[in-house]
Amino acid sequence: MRSTPATTLVIGGLISSANRYSAAAFSGYNNPSSSLSSPRTDASFLRALIPGTASRSGGARMLAAARNDDDNNPLGAILDIANNLFPSPIGGTIGTTTSKEGEEVVRSFIDALNSRNDPPSVIASRFFDDDIEYVDTSYYNPIRGVEALSRHYYLHAVSSPLSTFAADSSDVIVVDDIVSSATTTSSSYGGDDGTSKVCVMYHLASSTGGRDIDDTTAISFYNLRGGKITRVFDVTEPSSPKPGDAGLRLLKSVSNLIGDESIVMATSGGSEDDSDGRRDDPSISAVERYFDAWNRRDMKDAVSLFAEDCVMRDLQYDDAFHGRDEFEKHLLRVKDCLPSAFNFVVDDIAASSSKAGVMWHVENDGDPLAFTRGCSFYVIDERTGLIRSGFEIPEKAPPKTGYLASIASKFESEPARVIPAVMWAAYMYVLFFSDGILPGANALAFEQRTWEEVRDLSLNFFLVAPSLGLPFSPVVHPMLEGVFNLLLAWAAMFAGFLSDERDDKPNLLPFGPMLVGMQFLTSGFLLPYLFTRTPETSSEVYREDITGDIQSLVGEWRPLGGFLGGVGLASVFWGIFARPEFGGLSERYGSFVDLLSIDRVGSSFIVDLAIFAAFQGWFVDDDLKRRGISDDADEFVIMRNVAKYFPFFGLVAYLTARPPLPTRESSEP
């Protein structure tokens, strides 16, 4: 990575310490002849569905106009020949086979996302290197490895444009412009021969009506080697209303905290002589010199690299900046707010003679600042070498919305998920924080009697210790023991639905660990799993598809229902007949009610039984679907209804009688 400073300032960001503020104030692209309220014209959305034509959308045609419409220029053929003969001023060779192949791979990837024809695992393995690093700035951490990327695609569809779409979504990616270049050993920005770089500017549109979707402009940067994508960085514009000058005011406050003596920062070479050399070096492009001037805080030099009638768009603002004068005022305003210790570092550039895509981040005294990355896309006048227009997007500041978007999409597709979500919030509040709703002190009071009761019940798990008369087995009210062990058997019975977790159907909360958690906090783990789980889409699932050999064995073990049903039945009998010192049925029932009137743990067990009864049926329809049984299959109506509406023992009967999942071996002809 070359330590050349990057582009205009980023507004937004955050203060991670006194000196760690994520700056943001950028300028970008808009068509001079188009409406200033949008960075693009109406999308030619249908082109996004046709392989190889997405880049000729409205946005692409607009960019072509900004380049003086060279595609229709009689000198275009001569320019194309020149581009193939002479190297790019920014690393790589323009028009080489490697760069063209890289661009085609990226286009094919976008076409695959738009088509919805291939499952995410196929998309991940077809286009990406095994060691892919996939940076979606909607999330906090990069995704590393093709297996992790495949899981991400299954898990987070619709959370961001490059996270794939839901099958019923009408959204498509419309490529507004694209630039690619090859990396050579002489390149200033990393890589080696045989690699290529591609930068894409795009937005989303609806394929049913041709409507552009607001606030979806994005830029992504790709690195490729051997026909596979090795790295992706994707950043999208902030939602409206745009931050505007609010970010600048916050930056000014941070600058005052840091202590800004208006020191002119040196460039990567560290001397003014180096800066002068870069300004005069004909091999350094206008884009690179612009970044360099920014870090020297020389705004006169910065704007001199732009055409007089340039149009710059900062996605932190609603409107574009028109012409050098207006743009210079913006840069000077940002300069006054920017701490002098902040430096912009260019990470990579994909460039041709008429376009450049830049990936960058911000550093404070040489230390990278969190959440200050970004991408820019520039259109360059080939005759003068000046920048005609630019479009720049900084990384969004926390909180990151990727996971929230994933969960929200599930509620949108299945509004009934609100029920377990609300129930879980109420359950956690009542159990742990409330006083007076349930008997006894709240869980945070840490009463010694409460924790002794939990310990004693745990020692008598599944009634093994008291049945065998083991000396360490404590004496507990038999009805409380019965309720406790019935509840644990019920929770364990959900293991019969372990086929709900597969490589092609991961869940935000993995089912295996959630099952274990149910043995400790029952509904506290069941309910969040229900409202975050991935809906079932497959009607052809094999036993081998279940994640984990043990999970496959337990989940499809036919005696599971009978065994746990026996434990539940034994728990009922234990509560009624065991420990004769607690008297007959009437006496022990009365003492049990008295216990519940002062006991938070015991009363919460009763609540858990009611919740399990209400929600056990939520697994059944999808489980039958995996076994090839449709909702309207008449021969399974009774089994379905028994499993959904008869608490506990209906589930026992279902797990015992349901059709097994086939194996791949048994399905072979």
Side-chain angles (χ1 to χ4, degrees):
M1 180 181 70
R2 185 176 179 176
S3 298
T4 304
T7 178
T8 55
L9 180 63
V10 183
I11 299 175
L14 84 147
I15 305 173
S16 57
S17 67
N19 285 2
R20 289 189 170 273
Y21 177 75
S22 169
F26 258 70
S27 303
Y29 163 81
N30 201 349
N31 184 2
S33 63
S34 66
S35 170
L36 297 182
S37 62
S38 172
R40 55 182 178 268
T41 60
D42 292 338
S44 298
F45 66 95
L46 291 178
R47 295 183 180 274
L49 299 175
I50 305 172
T53 64
S55 67
R56 302 311 298 167
S57 66
R61 291 194 301 273
M62 185 167 59
L63 283 168
R67 293 193 300 271
N68 295 323
D69 201 12
D70 286 334
D71 290 341
N72 298 319
N73 194 317
L75 298 177
I78 298 175
L79 291 174
D80 288 340
I81 295 173
N83 286 341
N84 287 326
L85 289 177
F86 298 103
S88 165
I90 310 175
T93 304
I94 303 306
T96 63
T97 303
T98 303
S99 66
K100 293 295 185 184
E101 288 178 351
E103 184 174 325
E104 286 304 314
V105 170
V106 171
R107 288 185 184 278
S108 297
F109 164 60
I110 294 173
D111 290 338
L113 292 181
N114 284 337
S115 71
R116 279 89 156 160
N117 291 332
D118 295 322
S121 58
V122 173
I123 292 177
S125 61
R126 180 191 302 170
F127 296 105
F128 295 97
D129 185 79
D130 290 343
D131 298 321
I132 175 69
E133 182 180 76
Y134 197 96
V135 181
D136 183 338
T137 55
S138 297
Y139 296 85
Y140 287 98
N141 298 313
I143 303 148
R144 293 187 171 93
V146 71
E147 291 184 5
L149 180 59
S150 176
R151 176 180 172 83
H152 174 84
Y153 277 164
Y154 280 115
L155 204 54
H156 298 291
V158 313
S159 65
S160 62
L162 293 188
S163 292
T164 71
F165 299 108
D168 58 350
S169 169
S170 63
D171 296 351
V172 292
I173 295 173
V174 178
V175 175
D176 294 314
D177 208 349
I178 187 169
V179 60
S180 61
S181 60
T183 303
T184 68
T185 53
S186 62
S187 172
S188 301
Y189 294 94
D192 48 34
D193 288 331
T195 68
S196 60
K197 299 173 288 188
V198 180
C199 189
V200 180
M201 187 171 74
Y202 66 91
H203 69 276
L204 298 185
S206 172
S207 61
T208 56
R211 179 182 62 85
D212 286 342
I213 300 173
D214 294 335
D215 298 336
T216 60
T217 301
I219 302 176
S220 53
F221 199 101
Y222 300 81
N223 296 90
L224 301 96
R225 181 184 295 110
K228 294 285 184 113
I229 300 170
T230 59
R231 190 176 191 275
V232 178
F233 179 83
D234 183 70
V235 61
T236 58
E237 70 170 302
S239 301
S240 294
K242 306 297 185 186
D245 282 338
L248 283 179
R249 289 191 291 269
L250 185 55
L251 266 177
K252 184 65 175 178
S253 300
V254 174
S255 181
N256 292 334
L257 286 173
I258 293 174
D260 189 347
E261 296 84 15
S262 299
I263 300 171
V264 176
M265 301 298 294
T267 60
S268 59
S271 71
E272 186 67 23
D273 290 340
D274 290 339
S275 299
D276 291 338
R278 289 177 58 78
R279 289 197 297 270
D280 297 333
D281 188 346
S283 68
I284 303 299
S285 71
V287 170
E288 289 179 286
R289 293 199 297 274
Y290 170 48
F291 286 81
D292 184 71
W294 234 121
N295 282 340
R296 290 183 285 104
R297 308 301 192 262
D298 187 346
M299 299 312 167
K300 287 291 184 184
D301 192 16
V303 297
S304 71
L305 299 165
F306 288 79
E308 286 285 354
D309 59 347
C310 67
V311 180
M312 298 297 294
R313 184 71 199 277
D314 181 342
L315 263 296
Q316 299 286 338
Y317 290 84
D318 291 314
D319 298 319
F321 301 101
H322 291 265
R324 279 185 183 175
D325 291 342
E326 186 176 341
F327 184 47
E328 183 178 5
K329 291 177 183 178
H330 170 65
L331 295 186
L332 290 172
R333 195 167 72 253
V334 174
K335 173 194 171 185
D336 290 339
C337 298
L338 177 67
S340 60
F342 281 19
N343 214 29
F344 290 90
V345 178
V346 172
D347 297 313
D348 215 339
I349 296 180
S352 70
S353 57
S354 60
K355 296 176 282 187
V358 185
M359 182 171 65
W360 48 265
H361 71 276
V362 180
E363 293 185 354
N364 177 31
D365 275 339
D367 296 324
L369 288 168
F371 313 119
T372 62
R373 301 166 296 182
C375 272
S376 308
F377 201 103
Y378 299 98
V379 174
I380 302 167
D381 190 321
E382 293 184 83
R383 296 168 181 81
T384 64
L386 298 178
I387 301 171
R388 288 184 53 81
S389 59
F391 196 105
E392 296 172 332
I393 308 179
E395 178 179 7
K396 295 177 185 176
K400 302 288 189 177
T401 58
Y403 279 95
L404 293 177
S406 295
I407 295 173
S409 69
K410 292 174 171 55
F411 282 90
E412 289 173 5
S413 61
E414 296 182 73
R417 290 174 185 259
V418 171
I419 299 172
V422 171
M423 185 76 72
W424 178 75
Y427 176 87
M428 298 302 287
Y429 170 74
V430 169
L431 179 61
F432 287 101
F433 304 105
S434 72
D435 288 309
I437 300 177
L438 283 182
N442 66 67
L444 299 181
F446 295 106
E447 284 190 333
Q448 183 176 352
R449 185 184 65 82
T450 298
W451 298 110
E452 288 177 350
E453 186 177 59
V454 171
R455 178 201 62 197
D456 293 346
L457 288 170
S458 300
L459 288 172
N460 290 349
F461 176 77
F462 274 15
L463 305 172
V464 174
S467 297
L468 297 177
L470 298 178
F472 61 79
S473 176
V475 176
V476 183
H477 196 291
M479 283 196 165
L480 185 61
E481 286 179 306
V483 169
F484 174 72
N485 284 285
L486 173 64
L487 188 61
L488 293 188
W490 205 339
M493 202 149 29
F494 291 122
F497 301 108
L498 277 166
S499 56
D500 203 48
E501 181 83 26
R502 308 186 304 277
D503 288 345
D504 64 344
K505 187 192 169 298
N507 298 287
L508 283 172
L509 302 173
F511 197 20
M514 298 302 285
L515 274 172
V516 174
M518 286 182 212
Q519 295 297 310
F520 298 93
L521 195 55
T522 52
S523 301
F525 283 87
L526 172 66
L527 293 173
Y529 179 77
L530 289 178
F531 68 75
T532 61
R533 64 180 286 269
T534 303
E536 184 62 73
T537 58
S538 177
S539 58
E540 186 177 343
V541 176
Y542 296 94
R543 186 166 177 168
E544 295 89 341
D545 296 336
I546 301 175
T547 301
D549 294 337
I550 295 177
Q551 290 92 320
S552 175
L553 179 64
V554 172
E556 294 303 304
W557 187 48
R558 190 166 290 278
L560 178 67
F563 169 71
L564 293 174
V567 173
L569 191 62
S571 299
V572 174
F573 275 90
W574 183 273
I576 297 174
F577 301 110
R579 302 194 190 280
E581 65 269 27
F582 283 84
L585 177 60
S586 176
E587 184 179 355
R588 67 177 57 203
Y589 176 74
S591 62
F592 180 54
V593 172
D594 291 340
L595 174 63
L596 293 181
S597 68
I598 62 170
D599 185 46
R600 176 65 59 98
V601 174
S603 58
S604 70
F605 291 162
I606 304 303
V607 174
D608 283 323
L609 289 176
I611 290 174
F612 277 22
F615 289 101
Q616 76 170 27
W618 282 49
F619 289 95
V620 174
D621 288 337
D622 277 358
D623 190 65
L624 287 172
K625 183 177 182 178
R626 288 190 285 271
R627 297 165 199 277
I629 299 169
S630 62
D631 292 343
D632 56 357
D634 294 338
E635 63 270 31
F636 290 96
V637 170
I638 295 177
M639 176 185 291
R640 187 190 302 271
N641 290 335
V642 166
K644 294 172 72 172
Y645 305 119
F646 282 77
F648 186 77
F649 292 105
L651 201 54
V652 170
Y654 174 77
L655 293 179
T656 303
R658 68 181 177 179
L661 284 179
T663 63
R664 295 189 184 279
E665 183 178 355
S666 65
S667 301
E668 292 177 356

